[in-house]
Amino acid sequence: MERVNKMPKQTFFNLEPERREKIIAAAVDEFARHPFEQASLTRIVENCGIAKGSMYQYFADKLDLYLYIVELAYERKRDYVGRAFALQADIFSVLEEYYRQSFQFSRDYPSLNQVTNNYWNSRAQVLSGALEEGRLNRAEEFGRFLSEAMESGEVNADLNSEAVFFTYHAVGRTLIDYFDKDIDDDFVKQVLDVLRFGLQRRGEGK
Amino acid sequence: MERVNKMPKQTFFNLEPERREKIIAAAVDEFARHPFEQASLTRIVENCGIAKGSMYQYFADKLDLYLYIVELAYERKRDYVGRAFALQADIFSVLEEYYRQSFQFSRDYPSLNQVTNNYWNSRAQVLSGALEEGRLNRAEEFGRFLSEAMESGEVNADLNSEAVFFTYHAVGRTLIDYFDKDIDDDFVKQVLDVLRFGLQRRGEGK
DNA sequence: GTAGCATATGACTGGGTGGTCACATCGTTT
DNA sequence: AAACGATGTGACCACCCAGTCATATGCTAC
C-alpha cells in the first residue's frame, strides 16, 4: 500500500479546496468504475472540467494520481472500520464486527469501496510489488491476532495459521466484492459461521 | 459460460489443423496474459503470423474469439478435473481430490488455467451476464452435492447451504489464483482443513 | 506600470486499438 | 482456359490514449 517516492505535488495542496474536491471526486468515480489500466485520465478531466495539462501540475502521471486515490480510499476505510479491532472481545465477535463495519462502509461509500476492491483485484504489473507488500502486512497483523486467540484456547490450534489467514482473506475479499450485490448482514454472519464451525458435523455437544 | 448466438465461422473449422492450432496457441497465450479488455488482437495476429483480416474470416469479432478460447480452456479443464466427482467417497475426499486435480491441471497447462482465472475475475460489462449464469450453474451443482452430504450426516446441517457454497467458491477461486505462486499440495490440504474443521476449537473429542 | 513567478490551458504528438475492404491468390468446375 | 467461389492479405480508417509544451492568465512586489 505504501508509495515510495511519489506524491501529489505541492501545487495540488495549494489548490482551493473546492477545486481539489472536484478532482478527487471525478478520480474516485473513474477508478471505482475501471481498474487502473482501463481508467482514463481524459475522462477524469472531462468530468471535473479541469484542463488535461493542469492534472500534470498536480500529479507526476496517471499512476501517481491512482496511488493517491487508492491511499485516500484505504485511509477512509481504515478509519471507518478500525474500531472493530479496538473492542476487547473474543475473536469471533471481533471478526463479525469487522465485516459488519466493512459492509456498512460499502453502503455509505460505494465508490470508495469499489476503488479498494479494484485495487486488490488488480493484476497490473506496476502494482504487483505494492500489492504483495500490502498482503504481507495484513498477514502479519492477522497472524498476531490469531496466535493470541490460539493461546487463549478460543481457536483450534491444530490449524496452520498461514492457511487460516489465506482462507479468511479469500472469503473476506470475496464478501466485500459482493457487497454491491443483493446480500445482507445476515448472509455475512452465515458465511462467518461456516468459517467458524467448519463444514464437518461436530460431535455430541449441542 | 454458454454462448448465445456466436461461434467461430465454418471457415475456421475448414482450416488446416496446423494453422488452426497456431491461432489457438497465440490466442490462449494472449488471453492468459491479459484480461479481455486489455488483450490485443493485433498482438495475437503478430504472434501467429496470420493476417489481421483473416481473423475476421474465422471470428465475428474479438469477443467471439475470446469466448471460443474461454470455452475451450474450460472444457479441457473439466475433462481433466471432472474425475474427482465420479469417485464414490465422502464429501471431504471428493473436495480434496477436486482441488488436487485442479492444482495439477494448473501445473500441466498454466496458460489454460490462467485463461479461466482471468475469465472468472473479469469485470467487463459484456461478460457479466455469462459470468452470473455460470456462477448460478455451479452453485446449483454444488448445492445438490452438499444436500446429499447433509442428509447422510457427514456435514453440519445447521449451516446455510448458500453460505457454504459462497465460502468454498471464494476459497477455491483464490486457491486456484495462487497456484502459480509458491504453494504446494500440502498447503491446499491445510486450507481445506480450515474449511472442514472450522476455526473454533472443538469439544472434548480428540 | 512592470517585472517576475506560479498556475491554467488545450492543441498537439506519437502510439496503440478493433475492425474494414479492395484486391490477390488458389482450387474446382465448366 | 475461363469463370467462379472461397479464402488470404495488409494498408487503411476512425477512434482513444497518456503525456507535452508554448502560450495565456492572474497575483504579488516594487
Side-chain angles (χ1 to χ4, degrees):
Chain A
M1 213 59 155
E2 277 64 39
R3 273 196 332 296
V4 271
N5 205 359
K6 290 196 155 191
M7 273 278 254
K9 305 177 182 170
Q10 183 55 43
T11 316
F12 181 67
F13 298 109
N14 295 344
L15 250 40
E16 290 160 31
E18 195 197 348
R19 188 175 166 93
R20 199 163 52 224
E21 289 308 321
K22 265 201 320 197
I23 293 172
I24 291 176
V28 164
D29 187 64
E30 179 69 10
F31 291 126
R33 283 184 213 275
H34 307 279
F36 172 68
E37 321 233 20
Q38 277 145 17
S40 158
L41 246 168
T42 307
R43 272 196 299 259
I44 293 175
V45 301
E46 275 169 3
N47 285 338
C48 63
I50 298 276
K52 190 107 158 259
S54 296
M55 262 345 223
Y56 288 86
Q57 306 267 21
Y58 311 142
F59 300 94
D61 53 22
K62 183 180 158 184
L63 181 61
D64 193 23
L65 168 61
Y66 180 67
L67 292 176
Y68 173 69
I69 295 294
V70 165
E71 186 131 329
L72 184 142
Y74 180 65
E75 273 167 18
R76 297 270 175 87
K77 181 165 182 179
R78 204 175 39 194
D79 288 349
Y80 195 105
V81 154
R83 280 167 276 167
F85 286 97
L87 61 83
Q88 221 58 4
D90 69 298
I91 189 170
F92 299 106
S93 307
V94 172
L95 285 171
E96 197 181 320
E97 184 59 17
Y98 174 75
Y99 284 107
R100 198 181 297 281
Q101 304 266 16
S102 223
F103 184 51
Q104 199 51 51
F105 179 78
S106 80
R107 293 286 142 135
D108 288 352
Y109 305 99
S111 292
L112 290 178
N113 188 57
Q114 259 307 297
V115 168
T116 59
N117 285 355
N118 284 343
Y119 178 73
W120 289 111
N121 288 328
S122 175
R123 286 161 186 280
Q125 202 58 43
V126 272
L127 299 176
S128 63
L131 279 167
E132 183 57 16
E133 193 186 317
R135 215 189 84 89
L136 286 178
N137 283 342
R138 294 193 167 202
E140 222 172 295
E141 272 179 50
F142 190 87
R144 279 195 298 274
F145 182 53
L146 193 66
S147 51
E148 279 174 33
M150 278 180 173
E151 280 163 27
S152 83
E154 289 172 318
V155 158
N156 175 4
D158 291 344
L159 298 172
N160 173 303
S161 107
E162 275 187 55
V164 173
F165 169 69
F166 182 91
T167 308
Y168 272 78
H169 186 69
V171 172
R173 208 160 64 94
T174 312
L175 262 180
I176 293 169
D177 251 24
Y178 274 74
F179 279 171
D180 59 356
K181 308 252 187 335
D182 57 346
I183 70 172
D184 55 19
D185 256 354
D186 193 51
F187 186 73
V188 174
K189 169 93 170 92
Q190 284 169 332
V191 168
L192 292 176
D193 278 350
V194 174
L195 294 178
R196 176 174 183 177
F197 298 114
L199 194 59
Q200 185 167 285
R201 189 163 65 114
R202 297 207 159 210
E204 324 319 309
K206 169 162 199 220
Chain B
M1 212 57 155
E2 277 67 37
R3 275 202 320 302
V4 270
N5 204 0
K6 289 198 156 187
M7 272 278 256
K9 305 177 184 171
Q10 183 55 43
T11 316
F12 181 67
F13 298 109
N14 296 342
L15 250 37
E16 292 160 30
E18 196 197 348
R19 188 175 166 91
R20 198 163 52 224
E21 289 307 320
K22 264 201 320 198
I23 293 171
I24 291 176
V28 165
D29 187 63
E30 179 70 10
F31 292 126
R33 284 185 213 274
H34 306 279
F36 172 69
E37 321 233 22
Q38 276 144 15
S40 157
L41 246 166
T42 308
R43 272 196 299 261
I44 293 176
V45 300
E46 276 169 1
N47 286 338
C48 64
I50 299 275
K52 189 104 156 265
S54 296
M55 271 329 234
Y56 287 85
Q57 306 268 20
Y58 312 144
F59 300 94
D61 53 22
K62 183 181 160 185
L63 181 61
D64 193 23
L65 168 61
Y66 180 66
L67 292 175
Y68 173 70
I69 296 294
V70 166
E71 187 132 328
L72 185 142
Y74 181 65
E75 273 166 19
R76 298 270 176 87
K77 181 164 184 182
R78 204 175 38 191
D79 288 350
Y80 195 105
V81 153
R83 279 167 277 166
F85 287 95
L87 60 82
Q88 222 57 6
D90 70 296
I91 190 172
F92 300 105
S93 307
V94 172
L95 285 170
E96 196 180 321
E97 184 60 16
Y98 174 76
Y99 285 107
R100 198 183 297 281
Q101 303 265 16
S102 221
F103 184 50
Q104 199 53 50
F105 179 79
S106 81
R107 293 286 141 135
D108 288 352
Y109 304 99
S111 292
L112 290 178
N113 188 58
Q114 258 308 295
V115 168
T116 58
N117 284 356
N118 283 345
Y119 177 73
W120 288 112
N121 288 329
S122 175
R123 286 159 186 281
Q125 203 58 43
V126 270
L127 299 176
S128 63
L131 279 166
E132 183 58 17
E133 193 186 316
R135 215 188 84 90
L136 286 177
N137 283 342
R138 294 192 165 201
E140 221 171 295
E141 274 180 48
F142 190 88
R144 279 195 298 273
F145 183 53
L146 193 66
S147 51
E148 280 174 32
M150 279 182 174
E151 278 162 29
S152 82
E154 289 172 319
V155 158
N156 176 3
D158 292 342
L159 298 172
N160 173 303
S161 109
E162 274 186 57
V164 174
F165 169 70
F166 182 91
T167 308
Y168 272 78
H169 185 71
V171 172
R173 208 159 64 94
T174 312
L175 263 178
I176 293 169
D177 249 25
Y178 273 74
F179 279 171
D180 59 354
K181 309 251 188 333
D182 58 345
I183 70 171
D184 56 19
D185 256 354
D186 193 50
F187 186 73
V188 175
K189 168 91 169 94
Q190 284 169 331
V191 168
L192 292 176
D193 277 351
V194 174
L195 294 179
R196 176 175 182 175
F197 297 114
L199 195 57
Q200 184 166 287
R201 190 163 65 114
R202 297 207 161 212
E204 325 317 311
K206 166 154 203 250

